[in-house]
Amino acid sequence: MVSSSHEALHWVFQKDPALLTRAFQSVLHVPFPEPRDFAVLNADLTEIEPVERRVDTLMRVETDEGPYLLVVEAQGKKDEKKRGSWPYYLSYLYEKYRCEPVLVVITQNSATARWAAQPIRRGLPGWDSMTVRPLVIGPDNVPLIAGEREAERDVPLAVLSAMTHGRGAKAAAILEPLAFALRTVDGESAAVFGQLVESCLGDPGAKEIWRDLMSEIRYFFNSPVAEKVREEGRVEGREEGMVEDRAGMTIRILEWRAIPVPDAVREKVLACSDLDQLEDWAQRALTAERAEDLFAVDGA
């Protein structure tokens, strides 16, 4: 389905179109009207002339204040040709749909984000015939969601966080909370979001950790605990599964990092039923030098 970070960065908005509006409001602080409906449109802007022009994702958004178009472009690096293409896209789309277009650029690179955010001005000095102001989503304005409860509150936003920070040094800290949050959505959505995140991870070690986490997620959705959660909606069943998974994952993170795990440490972790404590230990497992460092502040 998704074969690159370029595709994943804009495709996530087709999976959850409302994510863009939430990003505008919470990340960019742009007061966009609340959407009532979304429609993904044909992204091909090629005219009769043999010049191919294609946006990454194009959506029509219906609101009580009228419709508008979202033009989403994933940008890996600076490309001065885009400063000619983007004004064309917006003009063409307005003429075709008679609907106001909004350009959104998403990137994993801070320097690219700063470049893309610069207004594109066309005209004479002192008299701009056209000004294009892209809205830019990137690692400098998307929050780093490294807590499980925060990730659970808005799973698609947590996915976007993992994707935009996927090539940074803090990528690994996002993965485990997101993996546990994915257990709160349906299995199909979890699989799609998992593939999107993997496509955006730059570090091979982070990719390996994420693939192992996704293996745990696939197991979860086939387990009796997950069935209990889906069919009965029992909070205790969900808590039971999260405690079991979190304890096991804490041990596995240490093992992935080639850190020896003594029996005493393994027994203490697996015997713990405090989800908050296990979450703390799992976070420490990402940076611990010894398995015993998990309990350093606990006096153990």
Side-chain angles (χ1 to χ4, degrees):
M1 181 194 67
V2 176
S3 60
S4 68
S5 60
H6 177 92
E7 293 178 7
L9 283 170
H10 66 87
W11 199 92
V12 67
F13 298 115
Q14 296 186 33
K15 173 63 180 171
D16 181 12
L19 174 60
L20 265 178
T21 301
R22 297 199 301 279
F24 293 153
Q25 295 171 347
S26 63
V27 175
L28 302 178
H29 306 292
V30 177
F32 270 69
E34 289 293 334
R36 287 187 288 102
D37 191 25
F38 290 88
V40 178
L41 304 178
N42 187 343
D44 193 342
L45 309 185
T46 306
E47 298 183 82
I48 297 176
E49 297 293 329
V51 177
E52 182 178 356
R53 301 180 188 272
R54 184 180 297 273
V55 299
D56 289 332
T57 286
L58 176 63
M59 291 184 288
R60 180 184 176 98
V61 184
E62 300 289 344
T63 77
D64 291 336
E65 300 175 26
Y68 63 91
L69 300 176
L70 284 175
V71 185
V72 184
E73 286 277 278
Q75 197 66 29
K77 60 183 179 180
K78 299 178 184 179
D79 182 358
E80 290 302 324
K81 291 182 179 179
K82 292 291 188 178
R83 300 183 70 80
S85 300
W86 288 339
Y88 169 83
Y89 293 167
L90 301 182
S91 298
Y92 176 85
L93 289 169
Y94 177 78
E95 182 65 22
K96 180 176 181 178
Y97 293 102
R98 290 295 169 176
C99 189
E100 296 296 345
V102 177
L103 174 62
V104 183
V105 179
I106 180 167
T107 181
Q108 296 178 290
N109 183 279
S110 295
T112 301
R114 291 190 293 271
W115 165 81
Q118 297 174 7
I120 303 171
R121 306 185 189 280
R122 293 291 175 262
L124 297 175
W127 188 268
D128 298 332
S129 299
M130 174 189 295
T131 301
V132 175
R133 299 173 58 203
L135 288 170
V136 180
I137 297 175
D140 294 333
N141 57 14
V142 174
L144 188 76
I145 298 180
E148 180 186 326
R149 286 172 174 76
E150 186 181 4
E152 286 182 352
R153 282 196 292 270
D154 192 336
V155 173
L157 185 60
V159 171
L160 180 64
S161 176
M163 292 166 64
T164 51
H165 292 278
R167 296 188 180 276
K170 298 180 179 179
I174 308 173
L175 301 183
E176 190 201 358
L178 175 58
F180 282 97
L182 287 180
R183 288 161 168 77
T184 65
V185 302
D186 63 275
E188 181 181 353
S189 294
V192 171
F193 284 142
Q195 188 173 1
L196 293 175
V197 170
E198 181 177 338
S199 297
C200 292
L201 295 175
D203 180 65
K207 277 184 177 287
E208 182 179 353
I209 289 175
W210 184 244
R211 286 168 183 163
D212 286 332
L213 286 167
M214 288 304 298
S215 294
E216 291 294 321
I217 291 173
R218 287 189 289 271
Y219 170 80
F220 171 82
F221 279 103
N222 292 322
S223 71
V225 170
E227 192 66 26
K228 184 190 299 183
V229 173
R230 288 195 296 270
E231 293 184 358
E232 301 177 17
R234 293 176 57 186
V235 174
E236 61 268 28
R238 180 172 176 273
E239 289 290 325
E240 174 190 341
M242 292 174 66
V243 165
E244 180 181 342
D245 285 350
R246 178 57 56 86
M249 189 56 61
T250 301
I251 299 299
R252 277 185 287 276
I253 288 174
L254 292 172
E255 293 174 342
W256 288 330
R257 298 183 59 224
I259 295 177
V261 182
D263 290 342
V265 172
R266 187 183 303 271
E267 290 171 4
K268 182 171 182 177
V269 172
L270 296 179
C272 182
S273 59
D274 185 332
L275 188 58
D276 290 334
Q277 180 65 80
L278 287 168
E279 181 176 351
D280 187 38
W281 288 345
Q283 288 293 321
R284 292 184 213 172
L286 293 167
T287 56
E289 295 181 2
R290 302 179 310 129
E292 291 81 1
D293 291 345
L294 297 181
F295 319 126
V297 299
D298 302 326

